[in-house]
Each structure stands twice: as structure tokens, then as C-alpha cells.
Amino acid sequence: MRTVLMVAEKPSLAQSIAKILSRGNMSSRKGLNGVCSVHEYTGSFMGQSAHFKMTSVCGHVMTLDFIGKYNSWDKVDPAELFSKAPTEKKEANPKLTVVKFLQVEGRGCDCIVLWLDCDKEGENICFEVLDAVLPVMNKPRGTERTIFRAKFSSITDTDICNAMNHLGEPNRNEALSVDARQELDLRIGCAFTRFQTKYFQGKYGNLDSSLISFGPCQTPTLGFCVERHDKIQSFKPETYWVLQAKVNPEKESSLTLDWDRVRVFDREVAQMFLNITKMAKEAKVESVTKKEKVKQRPLALNTVEMLRVASAALGMGPQHAMQIAERLYTQGYISYPRTETTHYPENFDLKGCLRQQANNPYWAETVKALLSEGINRPRKGHDAGDHPPITPMRAATEGELGGDGWRLYEYITRHFIATVSADCKYLQTTIAFSIGPERFTCVGKVVTSPGFTEIMPWHSIPLEESLPHCEKGDLFPISEIKLLEKQTSPPDYLTEAELITLMEKHGIGTDASIPVHINNICQRNYVIVESGRRLKPTNLGIVLVHGYYKIDAELVLPTIRSAVEKQLNLIALGKANYHQVLEHTLDIFKRKFHYFVDSIAGMDELMEVSFSPLAATGKPLSRCGKCHRFMKYIQAKPSRLHCSHCDDTYSLPQNGTIKLYKELRCPLDDFELVLWSSGSRGKSYPLCPYCYNHPPFRDMKKGMGCNECTHPTCQHSLSMLGIGQCVECENGVLVLDSTSGPKWKMACNKCNVIVHFFENAHKVRVSAETCDLCEAALVDVDFNKAKSPLPGDETQHSGCVFCDPVFQDLVELKHAAMRHPMHRGGQGKRQGRGRGKGRRPGGRLNPKKPKDKMAALAAYFV
């Protein structure tokens, strides 16, 4: 019997597809990574009986990154990133060990069927899966085909079974176009981002952004927002005048007429027209025309239109809307939500999809009427050759989906029903009047057939007062004629919906990446989202765009990125060479980068006007070890210390508070220590600003505090305060927080594990001795006599935190989400981890690894 491995893009999809193909007759088990499940069943494949194993990945298996030293901002010139810096594919999420999991499940399999999402990213993941699995699969016999690709657009029985019966092959060209985009974005984005971040953060203190990023798509996206801002700022209002007339067709009713000239910008001319018309006492009907007009039903729904409506009408950001749409898709409620197509294929089962909605109370009547009277073929839209338009695939209720999920589903369903409904028809009556020599008109609309506006009432023709019945030559008395003074108004800031339209029009990003680019400019503090989901650029966003315009406008204009997107599409179609496109594009941007670096003074001039230099920002905090003057603490992102006398800047740990640490100094460089804290419930540790940026020992890396410092005698170092190896992560050491009394705690110097112990103790010290059982450092504890929990009124005790029975009830572990062997129940063993790689240089360098990770803790923490 052949074994067939099948791989989907998400665990929930794998389960749904396996359920459909096995008709619910399958067995399921967790994979070795604990996230992806494996669903097994038997059936037939290519006319032979086969054993099927259906599993999944979690999005991309691999990610592209620079190797080794090229990831360091300090060691490498950003210009090298364009060509010299080698890249490699790394596991996208090493903790999930997806590659190992796929190899374990793929070993000994004869065939593989790829059920990844059917878009370019999905094709790319297909080849990532193949790279992992093919080496361990059974070798094919002769020319036997072993790699298959399933093409599907929704998670319905019909679509999935149809895909299984018509298996194709993965598309190498589409996968290459994704590889090319990844490499271009990585090399170009990193080079510009590293240069401008280091340059400007080294000069200005109140930029309030931890990263001044550049992206080939992100920057033109920001450019659209700033362009609108500039139009608003440069707008000068103009005064204009409008002539307004009111007539009384009947005694108690009045009709407001619109002036055919619309408006004039000269006060005297307007006054002249007013004087002329005031001479007339009656308005004469010159003509009455009636026309039947049609408001067309919408085109079928694609991604961009869905995101536009979600932002404009539902108040959802594009990123959030896309996440909800993906969830609805994986649960089988809608078809694939990433599509550029607005045209249904001829064989699409429109009636079948419509029947699913026949029992929903919100639109049951409309649907039943359409099914009995016959549906209209949707309008002919654009066929991009990817997926059918976004369509509801099964019925749902508000209770099932809840909140935003229901609101988006409801819109998608209403839109679908509207596409197969009739057009809206109405009768438009236009009456032309003359008052003296001036012409006025009045327009009225009456709906004759509401059509699709019944299901989309927000598109309905507004109710208007009915126009009086009249004929040519009729005269109506004028009740009022006056001059209105008005002013032209500036445009408003771009809404997300307008920005999405501009991005689509200029070819910036894809239907999948548009939400990501908009989200990025918000997160970088380049724009802020105001009411009505309008995007207002910040000072930083404005200065950056103006700077790019000043140096090289093509960096911010959509033209060059649009050209690159066209080249990438040609790769996907097999009409362009991957290596040539990559080389040509990188060469253009490399030249632009060198010119940008040479001309950075132009952008710097704009920065000087808007932002304060480092020396003028922040407040004095701790003393510099070189000049012994106070350094200033700059709180704005990224928080850092700056010595204006030495002109040096020292980065600090982010997302916490920084304060002076008892005016103590580092024994190596004489800098005053500072204390970083993430709050009373979090962890805190002291650090030397100089050592944090310039590691003093070989086994230390940049960004390490005193709790990771291997200094042999400093009272704040890991060597003096380390207690034992972390209960959760492989490399962490639990270090005493000597500032935490009287609520004492020790915290891991790598992860977020915190152990609370010895509350209300007067003093806690780490001893030079170690535990015989687990090799952790012993702890000396002094309690106040009144609050001592020790037996026999004792106030002092020395022992191991993990193994000493006296300390058993005084130790409490805190962790956000513990998943650990110690939760399996106490096994009574007194074994434990050692203290990591030598708490003191003179101690044991390679302590024996215990059989069970921190099993000694089980007795205390369970």
C-alpha cells in the first residue's frame, strides 16, 4: 500500500480537508512540535489503495535573512547588503521545528499532495515543503510522478473533492517571483533602514520611533499620505457666490432651484445677476424631461474592494479585516479571500451558493424571490486568472461568528446577493426654469424598481420630495431669490479606503501585502489613524517624505516600484529571468543608495527644523565613566543615554523604566549603573551603559545587563547572583534580584520566568557553596523575628531553593504560560539542573545534565 503525505497551510485547514476527503472516518494525533496535527485514513489514490497522512505547516516554513556578521548593524557597511552580503533560508519559527516535523512525517512516503493556499505565496511554501520532505521520501520508480498540487478556492465538499480528482503540479515560476520580492525587500529595506536609523538617531533625541524604516512599497504608501497633507497645508480658500431661488408651485409648498452657472468668484458680477433676476416676479418652465435611468449592481467582490468597504463602512483596519477574512475562509464560511478577480467563471455554481442563504432571516425573502424568479448573471468584470471572487460558501448566524466576524460576513453575503440581483431603475425628471435671462433647474428621482438596493440599502436612491406636475410655459411665483456667500474647502486627509484605491491604481503591493504596508506606516509612527479612519502623517513621516523628494523623488514616487512589480509578475508568468530581474533592480537601488548617502545633508536640514538635537533633549540621569559628567536620559523611542561632552550615545533596553541604581559604579569602566524594570510584576536588573553597548568579555554579546555579565568578583554580576539554571528555557540562569526585597524574587536572564520566594525576609544572599543534589547555589536568608516562617523561632537558614524541605512552601513560580515537565506531577526525585555554564569561572564548567529537566521542582510547584 502506498503512503501519501498531504500538506495544508494551517492546522485548521488540514483538519477540514481531511474530514471532507475521509468522509469523517479518520484518526488524529498531535505531531512532534505539538502545534500541527496528523490526520490519517485509508482510501484510493490514482487507482490504487493508499494510506493518507494529512498534516500542515503554519504559514511560511522558511524565511530569508543575511548570514552571520551581516546581521550586525555595527560591523557592516549598509552598502554591502546590495550584493556582497550572502543570504540564507532559515526556519521562519525555529520553536515550531516544522522542518524536523515534516521530515519525520514524510519519511517513507511515496507521494506528496500539496494543499497550500492557491496564490503566489502558497506556491512558494510548496517548494519550501518539498525541500524539507523530498530527501526522506521513497525514491520514485522510473518516471513515476510523485509530486502533486491541489488547486481549490474554498473549503467545501465539492471544491475539495474536485481538487483531489484534478491534481496538477506546483508552479516554480510563481515561487521564484516570491523569492525575488523577498530578496529585493530584504536587501533594499535593510540598507536604507540601517543607514538612516543610525544617522538620525545619533543626532536627534525626539524622533519617537525606534526604527526609521524604508521599504520599496512602504515608502510610496507613506508618500500618498504626505502628498494629501501637503495639498491641505498649501490650500488657500477662495470666496465664491451662488444664486439661490425658491418658487411656490402650490400655496404651501416651495421648491429650491439650482443655478445653471453653479457659482461665480466675483462679488460684483454675482450682485449684477441678482439684480437682473430680482426684476422678474415669476419663474417660467422652459422644459420638462423624463429619463429612465439605471444604477448598476456591483461587480463581484475582490480583496481590494472588501478592504475598502471594511475600512470605510465597517471601521476595520485593512490588517484586521484581512485576518478576519482568513479566519472565515479557514472555517469554510467564505471562499479564498485573496483574489484580484471580479468575474465569475461560467461553471461557477451561483444558485448553489444562493440556496445556502435561503433561511437567514436578514435576507431570506430576497433570496427566495431570486431563486423563484431566476437570478441575473453577474456583470462581466476583470478575470485575473487567480481565484473566483469572494463568495459566501455556507450559511452562518451572528451567534456563530460574533462581532466583527459577523459584520464582515454579512457584508460579503449582501454583496454576493446584490451581484445576482437586478439593477436599480429609477425615473429622473428634470424641470428647466428661466428667471429673467438666467436659467435654473430642479431634478427629482422616483424609484421604479429597487433591484439590488433592497439587499444593499446604503446604495438606494435617496427619497426626495416629488416634483409638481407641470408643462412647458407654466409660470410659478418666486418666493425668494438671494445670493449665498461660500468658501472653497480643502480636501480631507486620506482615508484608508482612498489609500487602498491609490495603491491598487499605481501597482504598489499586492492584494495580500497592501494591508501590511498600511499597518507598517502606522506602527513606525509615520502616520496616525484619526476618526473616520483617516491617516494623518506625523512630523517624522512628513520630514522623511520631503527629504526623499529633495534627494531622489523616485524613492517615494510609485513609478519605480510599480515597474518592479511588473517585472516580478513577468517572472511568475515565465517571461522574465529571475536572476536578471534581481541583478538589474538591485543595481538601480544600489546607485540610488550611494547618491542618497552622499546627499543626506539635504534631508538633515529638514530634520533640524522639526527635531531637537540629542544634546538638547532628555534629563540628566547617570554619570559618564569617561568625563564623569551627567549623561542625559532620552525617553522618546528608542530610549537611550547621551553624553553631550563626549558626544557618545548608549542604547538601553526598551519597553520598561530606567532609573539610577544607588549611584553604584561599574568596576570595569567607572560608569554609573542604571536599573531597568518592566514593572512591579515583571523583572528588573542593573546594567552598565558602556558594557551594555561594548561587551567586556568574549562570552558576552551586545545588549546584556549585569545579570548576564561574567565578571568574577563584581557584586552585581551573574557570577555572584546566579542561583540555578532556568526551569523553562535551555540557556537561561535564575538570578537573584537584589532590589526586589521585601518581596524577593529571582528571574531568568533569558526568558520571562520569575520565582518569588522568602517574602518579608530581611536579607537574602547567594552563598559561595552549591547544592550536592542539583548543583544550584545555596541561599542565605535572614528573617525578622516577628515574621519568620522558619520552625522554632529561627531567623536564619541556609539551603537550596529547589531541594531544601525548609524552603518548600516559601517558593512560588510565576509564568505567563507554563508548559513544562514539572507539571506532570511530582516523581519524588531530588534532581535538578545545574547552574548553567559555571556561575563562577572557578566552578564546574560542565555540570552533568539531569535525567528530567528540573524534576526536583515538581514537589514544590505542582
Side-chain angles (χ1 to χ4, degrees), residues 280-300:
K281 297 287 180 250
E282 290 179 316
K284 183 182 178 185
V285 176
E286 294 293 336
S287 66
V288 179
T289 53
K290 295 190 177 187
K291 273 188 186 172
E292 193 168 85
K293 293 210 167 187
V294 172
K295 187 173 187 176
Q296 283 191 310
R297 59 192 182 278
L299 285 167

Side-chain angles (χ1 to χ4, degrees), residues 103 271 275 329 366 473 530 593 696 705 799 810:
Q103 289 176 340
Q271 190 62 48
N275 295 339
Y329 160 68
T366 309
E530 297 200 320
F593 177 77
L810 307 179

Side-chain angles (χ1 to χ4, degrees), residues 632-650:
K632 284 188 173 179
Y633 171 48
I634 296 154
Q635 229 171 330
K637 283 184 184 177
S639 56
R640 52 213 191 273
L641 284 167
H642 177 70
C643 177
S644 51
H645 185 262
C646 304
D647 197 22
D648 284 330
T649 306
Y650 301 97

